Amino acid sequence: MMDIDDDCEAMTPSRRAVLGAAGALFAWSFVPKFAYAAAGSRDPRFLLVVLRGALDGLSAVPPIGDPDYAGLREGIALTKDGPDAALPLDGFFYLHPAMPNLARLYGAGQASIVHAAATGYRERSHFDGQDVLESGQAGPGRTDSGWLNRLIASLPPGETVSRHGVLGVGVVPPLVVRGPAPILGWSPPRMARAGPDLMQRLSDLYGQRDPGLARALSQAIETEGIALRSSMNGETRGGGGPDSADGMKRIAEGAAGLVGADDGPRIAALAFEGWDTHANEGGAKGRLAQLLGGLDGALAAFEQGLKPVWKDTVVMIVTEFGRTAKVNGTVGTDHGTGTIAFLVGGAVKGGRMVVDWPGLKPEQLYEKRDLKPTTDIRGVAKGVVSELFGLSGPVLAERVFPGTGELAPMRGLVG
C-alpha cells in the first residue's frame, strides 16, 4: 500500500508559500548593495535545479554492482547488458540510458554524482522536505529566506556576482532565492507580451506616482531586454510545462541566456516538476525515463547557452528526498530518504562518484526500507559555493546554513 501524503499531487506555487514570496517579488526594486570577492580571477556562475517530487536515485544512478539491487527493483531494475543497457560510470554504478549527454559530460570530467545523499530531514512530506532543502535550515518552517539569498547577502565587498542579485525562475520565486538580497525574476512566456508603447506609458505613470514601482518596472524591462537579446522570448509561447522535456529545455535555455549574459545575474535557481513516481515508474523506458531524458536535454541547453562561461560554471541538481528501495504494488516507489545529487559544469572536478555506499541489505537500509543517506547535501552545497565564491566556513555555518557548524564543507568538488 502506498504511503502517499496529502501533498503528492500538487507541488506548484499555488500550494507553496505564495504570500511569503510577495516581499521577494518587490525586492526586485532594490538596487543591490552587496558585493563579491572573486575566488581568484574566476567569474563564476552557479545554477541550482530542484527536482520537485523526490527523484528515485536508485533508478537514475543504479548500483548494478550491488548484489541486492536487482531483487529490490523487481520490474524496473536496469541491466548493464542487452538492449537499453545502463551507461557505465565506474563498474559498480551506472547511469540511466536516458541520459547519454550526462554520461558524456561525466566522461569528459565535467560531471560528478553524489549518491546516498539527503538533507537532515527524515520525514516524507514533499513541502516540508523542499522547505528544508531550500531554506538550508535543520527543519521546516523556520525562516522565510532561502540559502541562496543569504549567500548573496553574505558576499564581501566587490562587484559582479551581487550586482544583479539572484535569479529566481518561475511565476513565484522558489524559497531558496527569497530574502532581503535582491531577486531578479523571469518566467517562460505563455502569452503575448506587452508592447514597448505600453511599457513606456507605465514607466511614465509610475515615475510620477510611485518611484518604488518605477524602479521595479525598470528592472523588469532590463531583464526582458537581456532575454530578448538571448532570443529567449521571440517565439516561445505555449509549449510544455516544467514536467515535460520541452518545458525543461525552454526553462534551461532561458536561465542560461540570463546567467550567461555579461550584464546578467551570476546565481540562479529553478525547478522541474513531476518526479513523484508512485505508480508505473518504468525502468529503461517509461515515465521516469522521459523525465530523465528531459533533464538530460536541459543539461545540454545549459552547456550550449553558457558556452562562453562554461569553464566557470557549476549546475547543482538536487531533490527533497529519495524513494523506497523496494518497488511497491503499482510498479512504482514511495517516499524515501537517500537519493542523489548531480554536479555538472566546466568548473566541476568531475568524472567520479562521490559516495560512502551504505549497501542494500535489509539491515543496511534506513528504517529497513530506504537507501540510507551517508552524505549531507548541505555539506556538498557548502563545499561548492565556498570554492566558487570564496566564502569561509564560519560565514557558511552562521549565515548561509545556520546551525551547521559541525558540518564541514565538502572540499575538492570544484576545480
Side-chain angles (χ1 to χ4, degrees), residues 192-405:
R193 312 184 79 78
D197 180 63
L198 177 58
M199 289 295 98
Q200 184 59 55
R201 282 185 281 128
L202 285 174
S203 295
D204 293 342
L205 176 63
Y206 292 164
Q208 295 170 18
R209 300 188 180 183
D210 194 322
L213 282 175
R215 288 193 298 271
L217 181 60
S218 176
Q219 180 112 19
I221 292 172
E222 181 182 351
T223 306
E224 181 80 351
I226 297 172
L228 289 171
R229 292 201 308 274
S230 303
S231 300
M232 297 189 300
N233 292 338
E235 55 199 38
T236 53
R237 289 192 288 152
D243 59 351
S244 69
D246 178 62
M248 291 185 212
K249 180 181 177 182
R250 291 171 55 241
I251 292 169
E253 288 173 342
L258 288 165
V259 174
D262 289 341
D263 54 351
R266 266 50 178 172
I267 298 176
L270 54 142
F272 297 149
E273 309 269 354
W275 301 86
D276 197 19
T277 50
H278 283 288
N280 301 316
E281 180 175 312
K285 296 185 182 299
R287 179 182 171 191
L288 182 61
Q290 293 172 354
L291 289 165
L292 290 171
L295 177 60
D296 201 52
L299 290 174
F302 282 132
E303 183 184 18
Q304 180 61 35
L306 293 164
K307 190 172 183 179
V309 296
W310 186 245
K311 66 181 179 62
D312 294 324
T313 295
V314 174
V315 181
M316 183 174 181
I317 302 169
V318 295
T319 192
E320 63 261 37
F321 44 72
R323 308 199 71 82
T324 49
K326 188 175 178 61
V327 176
N328 63 27
T330 54
V331 199
T333 50
D334 297 323
H335 299 177
T337 309
T339 184
I340 58 171
F342 297 119
L343 299 175
V344 182
V348 173
K349 281 186 178 178
R352 58 194 177 127
M353 294 292 305
V354 180
V355 60
D356 177 11
W357 187 243
L360 294 175
K361 296 185 182 303
E363 64 272 17
Q364 295 171 325
L365 298 176
Y366 178 73
E367 296 186 344
K368 298 183 179 181
R369 51 167 276 168
D370 300 344
L371 175 64
K372 181 180 179 180
T374 56
T375 298
D376 194 313
I377 202 66
R378 295 171 298 175
V380 177
K382 278 185 172 184
V384 171
V385 299
S386 68
E387 293 178 331
L388 270 184
F389 302 112
L391 289 176
S392 69
V395 169
L396 288 167
E398 294 169 12
R399 300 182 190 176
V400 183
F401 294 96
T404 62

Side-chain angles (χ1 to χ4, degrees), residues 18-66:
V18 175
L19 290 178
L25 291 168
F26 284 102
W28 295 347
S29 65
F30 297 140
V31 177
K33 296 297 190 299
F34 306 99
Y36 159 66
S41 59
R42 171 178 281 159
D43 183 10
R45 266 71 168 181
F46 179 72
L47 298 94
L48 182 73
V49 180
V50 178
L51 305 181
R52 300 204 189 284
L55 168 64
D56 185 354
L58 289 173
S59 284
V61 185
I64 295 177
D66 190 306

Side-chain angles (χ1 to χ4, degrees), residues 85-162:
L87 307 171
L89 294 173
D90 66 358
F92 185 89
F93 293 101
Y94 289 72
L95 186 63
H96 195 285
M99 304 195 79
N101 184 60
L102 179 57
R104 174 185 62 80
L105 290 165
Y106 183 94
Q110 297 182 17
S112 289
I113 300 169
V114 184
H115 217 315
T119 66
Y121 179 72
R122 292 294 178 270
E123 302 301 324
R124 296 182 176 91
S125 161
H126 289 298
F127 296 106
D128 287 349
Q130 290 168 25
D131 184 295
V132 172
L133 178 68
E134 297 183 45
S135 71
Q137 301 283 350
R142 300 190 180 186
T143 182
D144 291 327
S145 67
W147 65 264
L148 274 182
N149 192 285
R150 297 194 300 272
L151 183 152
I152 288 282
S154 301
L155 291 171
E159 279 287 332
T160 310
V161 170
S162 58

